[in-house]
Amino acid sequence: MRDRIIVEYFQELRPPEGARAELLRGTIVIAPSSGAIHDGNVSAVVNQLPRTCWSGVTSRSVDMLEGSSVPVPDVVVAERAARVQRGAPMPSRAVTALVEVVCKRSACRDYLIKRSIYAAAKVPAYLIIDPVMAQCVLFTEPTGHGEDADYRCRRITAFGDSTPLEPVGIELDTSEFAVYENVRPHRYP
């Protein structure tokens, strides 16, 4: 009951212009819009997806089917055949991969909270593009339930190296990915 009330409230929420809201395990997170480095890295991913079989949608909410989370990943990758009603959250069962680009203050959310939420929803692949650490981290083989869910496999590649995105069948060229300057490194993954 509580989860349903929170989700209904969240769905009616209209964040201020220039901000984005997501619901992560019952907590509403409102963050300022991203900057040029973040957006450029998102575009670099979307532009590499083969459009004949894949759809890369940006800033689309995803229904995690666990009740208290409605994240808004930077890129949602789904097969073109997965027809979803416009404006409705994408069901997690239709998602092949989710991509998050770390912002200067989102590392904990991206590496811990969202990773667990996505694994619990059995999203086959979760890619973190990290301009703070100049690396990509690909998580595959989701296992577990609830807050204990995680991915069995983790592959880290440095910017400039190709990152295999196996479930999508491509090698992601990371040579165009930009990094943040003068940002203190974090302790993840």
Side-chain angles (χ1 to χ4, degrees), residues 26-163:
T27 300
I28 296 173
V29 177
I30 299 178
S33 62
S34 326
I37 288 174
H38 176 278
D39 294 347
N41 289 342
V42 168
S43 293
V45 171
V46 172
N47 290 338
Q48 292 182 58
L49 294 173
R51 300 224 190 304
T52 53
C53 30
W54 299 103
S55 172
V57 181
T58 59
S59 300
R60 173 89 180 259
S61 62
V62 178
D63 182 354
M64 291 288 119
L65 308 175
E66 78 165 32
S68 64
S69 294
V70 184
V72 182
D74 292 317
V75 182
V76 178
V77 181
E79 291 183 19
R80 277 239 177 258
R83 303 267 186 234
V84 178
Q85 180 181 350
R86 248 179 220 261
M90 172 83 74
S92 60
R93 67 184 174 281
V95 173
T96 301
L98 294 175
V99 180
E100 296 285 0
V101 177
V102 173
C103 294
K104 294 175 185 176
R105 291 177 211 57
S106 73
C108 177
R109 268 192 319 272
D110 294 337
Y111 278 101
L112 300 178
I113 299 167
K114 289 184 177 184
R115 181 170 108 201
S116 175
I117 290 169
Y118 298 163
K122 305 299 183 219
V123 173
Y126 173 38
L127 177 66
I128 297 175
I129 298 170
D130 190 339
V132 174
M133 305 300 285
Q135 67 185 16
C136 293
V137 183
L138 176 64
F139 295 97
T140 57
E141 297 184 27
T143 186
H145 302 282
E147 292 185 29
D148 294 327
D150 203 351
Y151 287 91
R152 283 189 188 109
C153 297
R154 176 183 76 179
R155 169 182 268 158
I156 299 174
T157 54
F159 282 8
D161 295 338
S162 292
T163 297

Side-chain angles (χ1 to χ4, degrees), residues 2-23:
R2 178 182 170 273
D3 287 347
R4 193 184 86 232
I5 292 169
I6 292 170
V7 170
E8 287 175 6
Y9 177 80
F10 173 75
Q11 289 172 335
E12 298 299 319
L13 180 69
R14 299 294 169 246
E17 186 156 337
R20 174 170 106 170
E22 353 183 49
L23 181 63

